[in-house]
Amino acid sequence: MIPESLSHGQYDTVYNFLSLVIASQLFTAVFLLISLPRILARYRQAITVAIIVCGIAAYHYFRIFDSFKAAFVTKSVGGTGTYSQAVGASFNEGYRYVDWLLTVPLLLVELVAVLALARKVQSKLLIRLVPAAGLMIALGYPGEISGDNGIRGIFGILSTIPFAYILFVLFTQLSKSLENQPAGVRGTLGRLRFLLLLSWGVYPIAYLLPLLNIAGSDAWVYKQVGYSIADIVAKAVYALIIFQVAKIKSYDDDRTFAETETSLAEREHLAERRPVAERS
Amino acid sequence: MIPESLSHGQYDTVYNFLSLVIASQLFTAVFLLISLPRILARYRQAITVAIIVCGIAAYHYFRIFDSFKAAFVTKSVGGTGTYSQAVGASFNEGYRYVDWLLTVPLLLVELVAVLALARKVQSKLLIRLVPAAGLMIALGYPGEISGDNGIRGIFGILSTIPFAYILFVLFTQLSKSLENQPAGVRGTLGRLRFLLLLSWGVYPIAYLLPLLNIAGSDAWVYKQVGYSIADIVAKAVYALIIFQVAKIKSYDDDRTFAETETSLAEREHLAERRPVAERS
């Protein structure tokens, strides 16, 4: 539940983390938008989705930030006292779920799009991944807004089922598609899958913090920090790795493009990575 | 610590400097964004990072500015009196650290990216510089938010260790890479390194001002002005020099590009700067 009051340090910690997420998402989106011409057109769908995901996240964090600022006020001068819940305003936790309901399925679209698979294979993957992602978020929400730890636990378990299914699809069906990717891409995509597992794994931990009997306001502050870090990794860092994949694939597809985009020193390195038979 | 009250002159000084930083960062970013097509594609990564750095800084200064305006209020009419800390709001010094945590590692990425080194050399430099930069900022924060001068001093010293390491890498390992750069670039990059040393040197001075026994509010105002000037030099001025390097390298790499981009008079000047043997 939302704590009755926060210490000055707790207030500033949440405040600074929420602001850090805004800056990270917003400027990752700007970076990718400016960098769009630096990959081939065929990979721009994936990066456009990445820009949208970071943009949607930045929008929701502006709202979460404003909601937080309105929800807690201090009566002391100079911010040495505590912050208490304000009359007539309350922190809206639901925003996060609205954000995730839109962005989490799109994160999977992003991953599949950058592979540039055959249309049929792509549809087969997305028809499994996207509804599972939506279900995962929808099942988490009733637990999040409930003050009852039992209900929180039950919905936590329910939403783990589609999460496990997503991982199953990513680690079995997607693996087959990875075999046809260039060598440099295969490694990066393998790491990306683990990053997804790692960063998505932070959400259930933050979600379950209130069950661990940590004193009310501390658990709540850790949960906010946990969600913030997880959102930065799962969206912004993830997007930058997808961009890296798109760049490697662009250079691989089109040598002339690679030459305008890279310096001589960088090209020598790219050439070294190719099998000897392929070098021109 | 944040002073209880500011004189009218002190309030205006901080206000004007914060606003100056917003204008500098925002319009350096806009200038570079418009100028992006005026360098070769291979150097656009460096300038894109520079745009992002200035953008992130502008975002945080908007927040710092708002926080400052909310934290101090005057009860007098016509602004002749003093400003006191407002009830229910406090100036959030932490913002600067959130900003630096994102921008300082990126400033080093910017420097390495414009050199367009072989990927391997680049990774070797970044794997040393980026974590050291993050550590430097993270270690400064506990001292900054502490009211205790002893704690401020200890964390100041701790954060000097990664700073010294960064300088060591820049002045030894980077020097080897500079030898392969064109003559005009070598000089500019050497100056850039000194600019970095000079502007980064302002931060510890501003950080340590509260230790110098200057009367509370004066020390605080000087610290704000010091951080503001340092941020303009280290981000905006630095970005413009990086852009200059990217331009020289672009002209050097591609004579046809140089001819469309420069006037006859400029070209003659560029030709004079090249070693006689190279002139065409």
Side-chain angles (χ1 to χ4, degrees), chain A:
Chain A
M1 285 304 283
I2 298 154
E4 292 283 309
S5 70
L6 295 174
S7 74
H8 183 65
Q10 287 178 324
Y11 179 87
D12 273 5
T13 302
V14 174
Y15 192 98
N16 289 341
F17 265 96
L18 295 178
S19 177
L20 174 67
V21 182
I22 294 179
S24 307
Q25 307 288 1
L26 190 62
F27 289 96
T28 302
V30 173
F31 173 82
L32 293 175
L33 190 60
I34 299 174
S35 303
L36 213 48
R38 297 183 40 229
I39 50 172
L40 289 183
R42 66 194 70 155
Y43 301 115
R44 288 186 197 150
Q45 171 80 354
I47 305 307
T48 306
V49 175
I51 294 167
I52 297 304
V53 166
C54 291
I56 293 175
Y59 165 78
H60 283 108
Y61 267 86
F62 271 113
R63 289 242 177 267
I64 293 169
F65 189 80
D66 282 348
S67 175
F68 174 72
K69 277 204 303 184
F72 291 94
V73 286
T74 179
K75 286 197 181 95
S76 75
V77 169
T80 45
T82 58
Y83 287 77
S84 312
Q85 285 209 23
V87 176
S90 98
F91 184 64
N92 183 346
E93 195 73 63
Y95 274 138
R96 295 191 180 280
Y97 283 78
V98 179
D99 176 61
W100 294 337
L101 199 61
L102 290 169
T103 55
V104 174
L106 287 176
L107 286 171
L108 295 166
V109 172
E110 211 177 305
L111 177 63
V112 173
V114 83
L115 297 175
L117 304 168
R119 185 59 53 106
K120 233 197 216 155
V121 184
Q122 193 165 327
S123 312
K124 234 181 76 185
L125 280 168
L126 288 180
I127 217 151
R128 283 164 170 77
L129 291 171
V130 170
L135 197 65
M136 175 176 80
I137 305 303
L139 284 172
Y141 183 69
E144 181 75 76
I145 56 164
S146 162
D148 185 287
N149 274 350
I151 295 178
R152 192 174 193 92
I154 289 168
F155 279 98
I157 291 165
L158 285 179
S159 99
T160 306
I161 300 169
F163 179 44
Y165 177 70
I166 292 171
L167 291 180
F168 168 76
V169 174
L170 287 181
F171 282 85
T172 60
Q173 308 208 0
L174 191 69
S175 295
K176 287 178 224 151
S177 316
L178 286 190
E179 283 160 24
N180 305 319
Q181 301 290 322
V185 169
R186 228 165 26 230
T188 313
L189 285 172
R191 282 195 296 279
L192 191 69
R193 216 161 37 173
F194 276 103
L195 181 84
L196 192 143
L197 176 60
L198 204 79
S199 62
W200 288 25
V202 176
Y203 295 104
I205 295 169
Y207 181 89
L208 293 174
L209 274 179
L211 302 186
L212 296 181
N213 278 330
I214 305 173
S217 67
D218 267 346
W220 188 82
V221 170
Y222 294 151
K223 190 179 76 174
Q224 298 305 322
V225 171
Y227 281 156
S228 298
I229 295 174
D231 274 335
I232 292 175
V233 176
K235 300 190 178 85
V237 176
Y238 181 87
L240 293 173
I241 298 176
I242 294 265
F243 179 66
Q244 208 57 32
V245 171
K247 234 167 54 175
I248 299 174
K249 294 187 77 168
S250 297
Y251 296 171
D252 228 81
D253 288 2
D254 184 341
R255 297 277 160 91
T256 322
F257 182 73
E259 278 173 31
T260 45
E261 282 292 322
T262 54
S263 69
L264 190 63
E266 288 176 89
R267 278 204 297 288
E268 278 163 8
H269 168 73
L270 285 174
E272 274 167 30
R273 281 192 12 206
R274 276 198 297 273
V276 178
E278 266 187 43
R279 290 184 201 166
S280 54

Side-chain angles (χ1 to χ4, degrees), chain B residues 7-273:
Chain B
S7 74
H8 184 65
Q10 287 177 323
Y11 180 87
D12 274 5
T13 303
V14 175
Y15 189 98
N16 290 340
F17 266 95
L18 295 178
S19 177
L20 175 66
V21 182
I22 294 179
S24 307
Q25 307 288 1
L26 191 60
F27 290 97
T28 302
V30 172
F31 172 81
L32 294 176
L33 189 60
I34 299 173
S35 303
L36 213 47
R38 295 182 42 229
I39 52 172
L40 290 183
R42 66 194 65 154
Y43 301 115
R44 286 182 199 154
Q45 171 82 354
I47 305 306
T48 307
V49 175
I51 294 168
I52 296 305
V53 167
C54 291
I56 292 175
Y59 164 79
H60 283 108
Y61 267 86
F62 272 113
R63 287 241 181 266
I64 292 169
F65 189 78
D66 282 348
S67 177
F68 174 72
K69 278 203 301 183
F72 291 94
V73 286
T74 180
K75 286 201 180 92
S76 73
V77 170
T80 45
T82 59
Y83 288 78
S84 311
Q85 285 210 20
V87 176
S90 95
F91 184 65
N92 183 344
E93 195 73 64
Y95 273 139
R96 294 192 181 280
Y97 283 78
V98 178
D99 176 61
W100 295 336
L101 198 62
L102 291 169
T103 55
V104 173
L106 288 176
L107 286 171
L108 295 167
V109 171
E110 210 178 306
L111 177 63
V112 173
V114 83
L115 297 175
L117 304 169
R119 186 60 54 105
K120 236 193 222 156
V121 185
Q122 194 165 326
S123 310
K124 235 182 74 185
L125 281 169
L126 289 179
I127 217 150
R128 284 165 170 76
L129 292 171
V130 170
L135 196 66
M136 176 176 80
I137 304 303
L139 283 172
Y141 183 69
E144 181 73 77
I145 57 165
S146 162
D148 185 286
N149 274 349
I151 294 178
R152 192 174 193 93
I154 289 169
F155 280 97
I157 292 165
L158 284 179
S159 98
T160 306
I161 300 169
F163 179 45
Y165 177 70
I166 292 171
L167 292 180
F168 168 76
V169 173
L170 287 181
F171 282 85
T172 60
Q173 307 207 2
L174 192 70
S175 296
K176 287 178 224 153
S177 317
L178 287 189
E179 284 160 23
N180 305 318
Q181 302 288 325
V185 170
R186 224 160 36 227
T188 313
L189 285 172
R191 281 195 297 279
L192 191 68
R193 216 161 36 172
F194 277 103
L195 181 84
L196 192 144
L197 177 60
L198 203 79
S199 62
W200 289 25
V202 177
Y203 295 104
I205 295 169
Y207 181 90
L208 293 173
L209 274 179
L211 302 186
L212 296 180
N213 277 330
I214 306 173
S217 67
D218 267 346
W220 188 82
V221 170
Y222 294 152
K223 190 178 76 174
Q224 297 306 323
V225 171
Y227 281 157
S228 299
I229 294 173
D231 275 335
I232 293 175
V233 177
K235 300 191 176 88
V237 176
Y238 180 87
L240 293 173
I241 298 176
I242 293 265
F243 179 66
Q244 209 55 33
V245 171
K247 235 166 54 176
I248 299 174
K249 293 188 78 168
S250 296
Y251 297 170
D252 227 81
D253 288 2
D254 185 340
R255 298 277 159 92
T256 323
F257 183 74
E259 277 174 32
T260 44
E261 281 291 322
T262 54
S263 69
L264 190 63
E266 285 178 89
R267 277 203 298 286
E268 277 164 8
H269 169 71
L270 284 174
E272 273 166 31
R273 284 192 9 203

